[in-house]
Each structure stands twice: as C-alpha cells, then as structure tokens.
Amino acid sequence: MDNAARIGLLCLAYMLGLAVSSYAGWSWAIAGLACGLYFVEAWYRSRKKRLKFSFSWPWRMGWAAILILASFYGQMRLPHVASQDISMFVNSIESRGSKQFSTVRGFVDSYPQATRSDRSQFWLQVNQLNQIQGDDPSPASIRNVNGRLYVTAPLISATGLKPGVQVVVTGTLYKPMPALNPGGLNFENYLARSGSFAGMRATQLFLTDEEQIRTWDLAKIRQRIVAAQVRWLDVPIGPLVSAMALGNEAVDLPFDVKDAFVRVGLAHALAASGFQVSLIVAAIISLTKRFLAKKWQFGLGLVGILAFVAMAGPQPSVLRAAVMGIAVLVGMLLARQLRPLNSLLLAAVMLLVIEPLWIWDVGFQLSFLATLGLVVSATPIQKKLDFVPPVLAEAIAVPLAATIWTLPIQLWTFKVVPLYSLPANVIAAPFITLISIGGMVSALVAGIFPVAGSAVAWLLLYPTKLLLAIVELFASFPGSNIAVGSIRLWQLLFLYAAIFLVWQLPWWQKRWRLVVALSVLLIVVPLAVVKGQEFKITALAAREERILVIQKNYQTALIDTGDSNTARFTVMPFLTNEAVNGLEQAITLQTSKRAGIDSANGAVTEDTSGSITGGAAIAKGASGTIDATSKGWQTLHNNLAINRLYHPPQQPPKIPGLNMSPLGKAQDLLGGKSNLLFADPPLLDLEIGGQHWLIGGDIQIDQQRELAMPNKLQPVQAIYWSGGVLTDTFIKAIRPQVAIAATLTPNPETIQHLEKLGTKVFVTGRDGAVQWTAEQGFQPMPGAE
C-alpha cells in the first residue's frame, strides 16, 4: 500500500470517528475496532493473503488515534445550551398561556426561504428578549440573551432580508418537540444540530434601519438572475431552470415540482453540486488551453468556482464540489495527476474539520456517497456493460454507480426506494446536462444584461417542459416510491460491507449477483416475516386530531388523516416507517361542523423544508373545515393507494379519483366491525381482534347520556377522544381500561374520574403515539431519530 492510499484511510478514520461522536461510549469501542482490524490483518498475512487496506503498525496506530480524537472532537463541537440562551426563558413564557408574546432583537443569520405553509423561514442570532405580559404593552422584563433562533414569519415581512441585517421580531416562542410518532421528524434534534434550541412563530417583523436591505450584496445578483430567467419562462419552468443552474437553495422552487423530482430519484438534478462545478472547470480549460498559460487557466477556473459558490450559497454539497474542483485545478497547475478518491476524501475532511456537524447532514452524506460511487464504481460498471453502445453504457453506469452507494443511506433515512430511478436518470440525463449548461450561460449573461439573459433562458423552454413531463410521467406510475420501513443499524452496516467487499475483493466481484440477492433478501425477508404476523393498533399524536392506524397481517386501515399538513408530516411518515404502500380501507369522521384545529397548546409540526405549523389557530368555518379534510385525504391519496374511503352519510369529502362509500351500520373493517353510533358529531364504535374501541371528538353530553343507558353500550378496552369533558356516569357505563386523550391539555376532572376507576390514561401531546399489541398491550411509542 502506498502513502496516498494510507492517507485516504486516515481520512476515512476521521469521518468514522465523527460519525459515532454523538453516541456515548463509542469512542472506546472504535479503538477496539482498530485493534480488531490489526488481528484480522495479521491472520490474513499468516495465510499469505493480502488486503488492499493493509498497512504497517505505525500507520495502524495513527488510524486508531485519529478515530478516537475525531470522536472526541465531534463531541466537543456538539452545540450546548448556554446560560443566557434564549431557550432558557421559554418555559416561563409557556406557563403563562397562549397570550404571552415576546419581542426579540438580533441579526439575521441566513437568507429567508419559503415554506409549505406559505411563510418565510430564517435563522436569527438574538441578543435581546423583551417579554410582554398578556395584553399589557409594557414590558415585563428585558434581558440580554444569546443563541440562535429558528423563525417563521409572514412572507411579505421577510422580503429583502439577508444575513447581517438587524431586526426586531414579535411573536410566540416555543421549544422544539421531539418526534411524537414512529418515523416522525425529531425537530428538537434537528434544531440542536443547527445550534438552536428554540423557535419563534412571528407575527410582526421590523427593520431597525431600512438602509440595511438596500446595500449591495451577492443576493441581489442572484435575485437578478432568477428574475431574468423567470421573466420569459414563467413558473414553474423559470424557477426550475434557475434551480438546475444554481441549486434549489438559491430559488424558491414550487414544492410540487420538488416532490416530483424526489419521488423519481432525480433530486440531485436540483442540488448545486459537483456536476455544475465540473461543467465550469471543463468549459474554462477547453476554451482557454490553446492561448492561456496554465497559471491563468488556474486563476480563471478558481474565479469561476468561487463565483458559483457565491451564487449557490455555501451548502455542504457546493463546498465539497468546490474543493474537489480546486484540487483538479491544482493538479493541472502542478502537472500532476491527482487521485480522484483521495481528492474526494481530502475535500470531505477539510469541510468536516471546519463544520463537523455536517457528518449528520443527509445532503452532505448523499452528495459524498454519490461522488464516491462515481469515482470508484462507474468505470467498472461501464466495462461490464460492454455489450451495449458506449454512450448508453455510460448513461447507465453513472446513475447506477451513484444509486448503489447512496441506496443504503436512503433506506436508513427516508425508508423508501424510488423504483424507477435508473430509467428516469438514463432518459433525463441529456436534458439535465443541456438545461444546466444553458442555465449557467443564461445566469452569466443575466448578471450583466438581464434582457439578454432572459432570451438565452427562453431557448430552454421546450427542453425544460419535456424534462418536467418525463418526471411527472414517472412520478405517476404506480409504486414509484416503495416504502420498505425502518431498517436496523446492522442491516445498514451489512449493505455497506457488501458494497465494500465487491469493490475491494476480486472473489466477491465475480459473485456480485450473489451479493445483490443476499442484500435484497436481507431487507425483504425480515419485513415479510414481520408483516405476516403483525396485528397492532396505533393512535397517532397529531395535535387535536384522532388518527388511528390498524395493521393486520399485510393489510392496513386508517381512521381519519387530518388536514394536508397532518397527512404529509404525521400520517405519511408513520405509514412509510411501517412499510405501508396502500390502504385497504379508510374512514373519515370529520364533518363540516367540526371546529377548527386548536393548537394553542403550543404543539408544532415541522416539515422537511423547515415550515412550522402551530400556535393559536383561527377557527375555521364549515366550508373551510371540509376543504381541509378533503385536502388531507387528497395529499394521502397522491402518495399511496386507498382502496376505499368510508364517510359519514352527510357531506362526503370531495376527492377526485378516490372510491368512496357512506359509512353504514356494522361496516366491515379488516375482518372487524365498525359501527357509527352518532353522525353529528361522529362517534365510532370499533370491534376488531377482540379489541373494543370508542373513537370520537368532543362527545356531547346528550350523547354520553344516551350511551350510559342500560344495555346501550358494553364496556370498552379503550376510548380515544379529544380530551374534553366526560361525565362520571358515562365513564362508569363504558369502564374503559385505557383512555387516550388527543391533546396536550385534557380536562383535569375527567382524568381524575378515569384514574379513580383504575383506567390507564395516555395524553398524546405528552406521551406521543400509543400502540396496542397482543404481546405488550398498550404502550407509548414516541418516535426516535
């Protein structure tokens, strides 16, 4: 093994040490792993075998030392709550009720981005907190604080914000919540890894000085470029061209377009990465090699890369690609052929020394692994495809190599497989190249002469429309995303071990089909065994919504889904985590007379783009509520198949393309029986697998009185309700073994009555999701990242 390979392994040691730094005790386990590798290597040597990664004792000690030091360095760089962090003052605010508003002063720390809830999100470095008691405008206290605050504000109020601008923001503060449902996002950990421990839902935002946003900066050039490209292309074609040239972080691309690209495995086309940098470097070198010296080529290439970083923003994938591009330029200047693998590893280590927390950033992980796959696997795969034309072989090898190396981490993080990713990438590759090159040329021209930039961008109209049509076609295919559920850590490690063996050892390279078969069986067999034997009922934590998921053998039924945000960020993640790709039956109990969602308890829901929903909600009218209900089911139907939806007899939701039927008496539900006791407001009696549940919202007093009559309703195993008032007579009549309140603040007298009868009480806003299984009974099942 030469020194270059040894240095590459030391880089891997540093990255591995960082990866385990957040797990207590793993630093010393890593040292044991290093010692174990020594004995494995010694055993191989005793059998006169050689490994490509074998190296001498001093290097081995250095490898172990870097592992341990990197793990401790990662722990040292983990964000911690300071004594004057603004999050330290949130609890006192929450205890005073929802009318407590606060005003914070600080400096904007990022460019604002639009969220799915039509708000703007940005980071704020705070330095002052002004707490206001109730409706009294006089400040209760003014404190000097510090820390990073996650802020969502009305779109119009955040227009023009940029890093360094001083603002005064008024709104409600909250502490981020951990995941309350299996598969849900742990928003608390997400903010903590960004150095933040509190958020604010802003109602007003003021600039301390209007002149701050009028000064020149690079964002104005970026806005000028995007405006020029949108002028003659309109939405979504214009923003899509901008995203493919500068990355989707530089432009607010419509979320339905983003979702479609992600669904078919083309998310990389929207991310600023090595593809754009390689185009810049290749163009500069090819255009100037005949009449410019190498030092001038190096200078122009460096300027081009830095300009791209400035336009796209310092994202992990952009910085990694920039470092790789600079390494290529240095190799050209020194007339040396750099090893691409070592360049990639050095680029990753340089970035992770500056910001070690990026090791857990999914974008960084996928970008690094995709590039690693291209470096080490694209050429061997292309050689295996010698029976097809070279152009087609390369078109297949590039996305296949990237997919192989990123698929395990994608399964681990997103729990889905984009089934048509490979054909979609092969077909879309020429259009992605053309649009990316054209978009960057248009951006360069638009920065100098906007009208000319618009004209260049207009030439991309039909190629972009065709690309969008291809993406939408693949996204519409059944099973475009296959949910495989949550995989275990040992499965993730096995998959990467298999990839490593095929990469490094000729014996396994010849038996790659066996490796593929074993890897598929590793995922499919445990899942099939579990699904074939499962029977569980889960009450999800979804603010004030009652959402019940019933899983029996290979079938799944769902009762209610909430509004569009609840369906997208609560129900779908849980179903994906459980490897549910379709619903045999579904029931909606929401009617037009149901009150709007009351989230004054401070619960928040964070979406993947950073939007937050929560805080005091405005009560919705009849038409608004039924519309929200329809949108929730439509969102769910767009992502997975629903065989049939049952609804109360009056006012069915309007969902195109979905089979719907009125909910009758003794309706079959996965072999059980569901009976609609009352239609207004709905109250459902469910019997399945020996379980008897009562499901409803605010159960009216007259309903409780009627059900408490003799022989009207038998005792139930569980009642799942809004957490409102239940009379003592009603409780004694149904005698529930378990009561699940879908709220954070249930009626205290009702809880006392239940506990006096020995009923076990769960509060979803506090305990998270509650799941029943035959083996363990009722257990809280909050999510974990």
Side-chain angles (χ1 to χ4, degrees):
M1 177 184 290
D2 58 19
N3 288 337
R6 293 188 179 101
I7 292 174
L9 285 173
L10 293 181
C11 292
L12 286 175
Y14 176 78
M15 297 171 68
L16 181 60
L18 287 182
V20 302
S21 62
S22 63
Y23 302 96
W26 275 57
S27 300
W28 301 109
I30 283 296
L33 174 63
C35 295
L37 287 178
Y38 166 74
F39 289 109
V40 169
E41 183 186 10
W43 178 73
Y44 263 76
R45 284 183 175 179
S46 68
R47 301 188 61 183
K48 296 183 180 180
K49 294 181 178 288
R50 295 186 63 187
L51 290 174
K52 293 183 180 180
F53 55 79
S54 63
F55 54 132
S56 61
W57 174 252
W59 284 96
R60 192 179 302 111
M61 289 297 295
W63 191 79
I66 288 178
L67 274 172
I68 298 172
L69 292 175
S71 63
F72 284 114
Y73 175 62
Q75 292 177 19
M76 183 178 64
R77 290 290 301 273
L78 286 174
H80 297 89
V81 182
S83 59
Q84 292 298 309
D85 190 274
I86 190 169
S87 63
M88 301 294 290
F89 305 98
V90 175
N91 286 335
S92 61
I93 294 171
E94 290 176 339
S95 65
R96 296 173 188 159
S98 61
K99 290 186 177 180
Q100 178 63 46
F101 284 84
S102 302
T103 298
V104 297
R105 180 187 294 266
F107 293 91
V108 176
D109 196 30
S110 68
Y111 289 103
Q113 289 186 315
T115 69
R116 291 182 186 268
S117 54
D118 293 326
R119 291 174 66 82
S120 189
Q121 176 271 321
F122 61 91
W123 295 98
L124 184 69
Q125 289 286 352
V126 298
N127 52 41
Q128 190 179 87
L129 169 65
N130 181 355
Q131 299 175 4
I132 302 175
Q133 178 65 46
D135 298 326
D136 187 359
S138 61
S141 62
I142 298 178
R143 293 184 174 91
N144 292 325
V145 297
N146 53 44
R148 202 170 188 229
L149 191 64
Y150 180 97
V151 181
T152 55
L155 280 172
I156 191 169
S157 66
T159 301
L161 289 184
K162 58 185 179 181
V165 171
Q166 188 178 47
V167 294
V168 178
V169 186
T170 300
T172 54
L173 287 167
Y174 61 86
K175 278 194 173 181
M177 299 179 66
L180 294 177
N181 300 286
L185 172 68
N186 192 327
F187 192 41
E188 185 179 49
N189 282 358
Y190 169 77
L191 288 195
R193 287 177 177 175
S194 300
S196 176
F197 303 94
M200 170 176 269
R201 185 171 178 85
T203 56
Q204 293 180 325
L205 186 148
F206 303 97
L207 294 171
T208 58
D209 183 2
E210 292 284 346
E211 292 296 325
Q212 297 178 93
I213 63 173
R214 297 173 185 168
T215 58
W216 182 91
D217 69 343
L218 291 173
K220 292 190 179 298
I221 297 181
R222 184 186 306 146
Q223 294 168 1
R224 184 178 185 177
I225 292 171
V226 173
Q229 293 176 331
V230 172
R231 182 181 292 116
W232 291 357
L233 294 178
D234 212 347
V235 178
I237 302 300
L240 180 56
V241 171
S242 300
M244 295 180 67
L246 303 176
N248 60 354
E249 296 293 333
V251 58
D252 288 328
L253 188 64
F255 286 104
D256 57 342
V257 176
K258 285 185 181 180
D259 293 341
F261 273 77
V262 171
R263 190 171 181 83
V264 300
L266 287 172
H268 61 86
L270 305 179
S273 61
F275 179 70
Q276 288 89 342
V277 171
S278 63
L279 288 177
I280 292 172
V281 173
I284 290 175
I285 292 177
S286 61
L287 293 175
T288 60
K289 63 182 179 181
R290 293 185 178 181
F291 57 89
L292 284 182
K294 288 184 178 180
K295 62 180 181 180
W296 293 107
Q297 287 181 310
F298 173 82
L300 285 176
L302 184 61
V303 169
I305 291 174
L306 294 179
F308 174 72
V309 172
M311 291 297 97
Q315 311 161 47
S317 60
V318 174
L319 294 176
R320 177 200 55 77
V323 174
M324 283 284 292
I326 293 172
V328 172
L329 291 174
V330 170
M332 177 198 68
L333 182 64
L334 300 178
R336 295 179 180 177
Q337 185 69 32
L338 294 184
R339 294 187 179 184
L341 179 58
N342 278 7
S343 299
L344 173 65
L345 294 174
L346 287 172
V349 168
M350 289 172 61
L351 296 175
L352 293 174
V353 167
I354 299 171
E355 184 48 82
L357 297 182
W358 276 347
I359 193 68
W360 297 295
D361 182 88
V362 176
F364 179 89
Q365 294 169 358
L366 293 177
S367 175
F368 172 78
L369 289 169
T371 308
L372 177 62
L374 297 180
V375 169
V376 303
S377 300
T379 300
I381 292 174
Q382 188 173 352
K383 291 179 179 178
K384 291 286 186 181
L385 298 173
D386 55 0
F387 56 90
V388 299
V391 175
L392 182 58
E394 182 179 1
I396 296 174
V398 169
L400 182 57
T403 299
I404 290 172
W405 282 86
T406 58
L407 186 58
I409 202 70
Q410 183 171 343
L411 293 175
W412 171 262
T413 305
F414 303 111
K415 308 172 181 67
V416 296
V417 177
L419 190 61
Y420 309 114
S421 174
L422 183 58
N425 273 276
V426 172
I427 295 173
F431 299 98
I432 293 174
T433 302
L434 174 63
I435 297 168
S436 297
I437 294 174
M440 285 191 288
V441 172
S442 169
L444 180 63
V445 175
I448 303 171
F449 188 22
V451 175
S454 299
V456 175
W458 180 82
L459 298 175
L460 302 173
L461 175 62
Y462 291 103
T464 309
K465 280 188 174 181
L466 189 53
L467 173 63
L468 195 56
I470 293 170
V471 171
E472 291 174 348
L473 176 65
F474 279 101
S476 67
F477 288 165
S480 57
N481 259 18
I482 302 297
V484 297
S486 178
I487 68 172
R488 305 288 185 180
L489 179 60
W490 67 267
Q491 292 173 299
L492 176 71
L493 297 177
F494 178 92
L495 291 175
Y496 275 116
I499 294 172
F500 181 83
L501 289 174
V502 173
W503 169 36
Q504 284 288 303
L505 300 180
W507 191 89
W508 286 103
Q509 290 170 5
K510 297 176 182 178
R511 294 162 178 82
W512 64 270
R513 294 180 182 84
L514 175 62
V515 174
V516 172
L518 290 175
S519 299
V520 172
L521 291 175
L522 178 77
I523 301 298
V524 173
V525 171
L527 177 62
V529 171
V530 170
K531 298 297 278 186
Q533 299 175 349
E534 75 178 358
F535 177 35
K536 53 189 176 184
I537 305 174
T538 309
L540 298 183
R543 297 174 294 186
E544 306 297 309
E545 303 283 357
R546 280 80 53 203
I547 299 176
L548 199 70
V549 181
I550 305 166
Q551 297 167 265
K552 188 176 181 182
N553 297 334
Y554 295 100
Q555 296 184 317
T556 303
L558 175 67
I559 299 177
D560 274 342
T561 190
D563 60 14
S564 181
N565 276 336
T566 304
R568 179 178 288 111
F569 305 123
T570 300
V571 180
M572 275 305 304
F574 175 79
L575 296 178
T576 301
N577 188 73
E578 296 293 311
V580 174
N581 290 288
L583 299 175
E584 277 63 40
Q585 295 167 299
I587 296 176
T588 178
L589 298 179
Q590 298 166 347
T591 68
S592 61
K593 294 185 178 180
R594 184 180 65 83
I597 297 172
D598 175 19
S599 53
N601 55 34
V604 294
T605 302
E606 207 268 347
D607 68 24
T608 55
S609 67
S611 86
I612 290 185
T613 59
I618 300 175
K620 303 174 185 176
S623 61
T625 302
I626 193 68
D627 183 62
T629 301
S630 298
K631 287 182 177 179
W633 286 108
Q634 185 66 65
T635 298
L636 206 62
H637 185 47
N638 290 340
N639 287 277
L640 79 171
I642 302 177
N643 187 39
R644 184 164 296 276
L645 174 66
Y646 296 96
H647 58 82
Q650 75 282 10
Q651 297 183 350
K654 300 176 181 179
I655 308 168
L658 183 58
N659 294 325
M660 293 183 289
S661 301
L663 183 62
K665 297 291 183 180
Q667 183 71 56
D668 174 79
L669 192 69
L670 299 189
K673 183 177 66 174
S674 60
N675 187 22
L676 187 64
L677 299 176
F678 297 97
D680 188 19
L683 185 62
L684 189 70
D685 183 28
L686 173 66
E687 295 183 48
I688 183 171
Q691 286 293 301
H692 189 184
W693 287 58
L694 196 61
I695 306 163
D698 292 320
I699 306 175
Q700 303 299 309
I701 298 299
D702 57 342
Q703 293 179 343
Q704 297 183 38
R705 188 180 301 115
E706 181 176 344
L707 292 175
M709 296 174 62
N711 301 321
K712 185 66 176 180
L713 189 65
Q714 298 297 320
V716 301
Q717 270 77 31
I719 180 171
Y720 184 25
W721 91 116
S722 65
V725 176
L726 298 179
T727 64
D728 189 35
T729 303
F730 175 68
I731 293 173
K732 290 180 179 178
I734 64 172
R735 293 188 172 274
Q737 298 175 11
V738 171
I740 305 173
T743 183
L744 180 62
T745 55
N747 181 268
E749 294 182 357
T750 298
I751 300 303
Q752 290 179 4
H753 290 321
L754 289 166
E755 290 177 343
K756 283 182 181 179
L757 286 179
T759 301
K760 189 174 183 179
V761 178
F762 295 96
V763 179
T764 58
R766 177 195 65 202
D767 303 318
V770 179
Q771 189 174 91
W772 173 87
T773 60
E775 297 79 15
Q776 298 182 340
F778 289 87
Q779 296 289 335
M781 296 288 293
E785 190 173 4

